[in-house]
Amino acid sequence: MAPGSYYTELFFLDEATALAAGHRPCEECRHENHKAFVAAWKRGHGLAEDHRLTVKDIDTIMHRARKQLFQSRSLVDPNSIPDGAMVAHSTSQVWIKWVDGFYPWSFDGYGPRQSTLDRPVTLVTPASTTHVLHAGWLPR
């Protein structure tokens, strides 16, 4: 971040990539999307709708997840993850689950659809954010 600014110079391929990297929608420039994300965070984490949840609360949890070693992340059944979550099928390939299958991710974009992945995969999108996706919030 530039000195004296809270804006970040981070840019991602898309919102799903940002989520997998442990980030959330911007509260200022994506305000409505951010409000929907916070509401889904509450639902996904079993919090009451009127529970006071601050951006700092969410950011603290997300920062902890960003620091978690990839090797210690959960193995999951690929069919159990929500749309918008990313997984690693091997150490060299990351996939996004979207609607009708899995799409390989790269810095150049997504590759052709594969209908399923055949073994447990490593969850790349942090578990706390995956709860938000399970609660119905979808990345753009």
Side-chain angles (χ1 to χ4, degrees), residues 60-96:
T60 297
I61 293 167
M62 294 183 92
H63 181 68
R64 202 174 320 132
R66 279 192 299 273
K67 291 174 40 176
Q68 183 184 24
L69 294 176
F70 184 76
Q71 294 83 354
S72 66
R73 297 215 175 164
S74 302
L75 282 177
V76 296
D77 175 348
N79 299 312
S80 71
I81 65 167
D83 286 346
M86 291 191 169
V87 296
H89 190 256
S90 66
T91 56
S92 62
Q93 184 59 65
V94 172
W95 300 77
I96 185 171

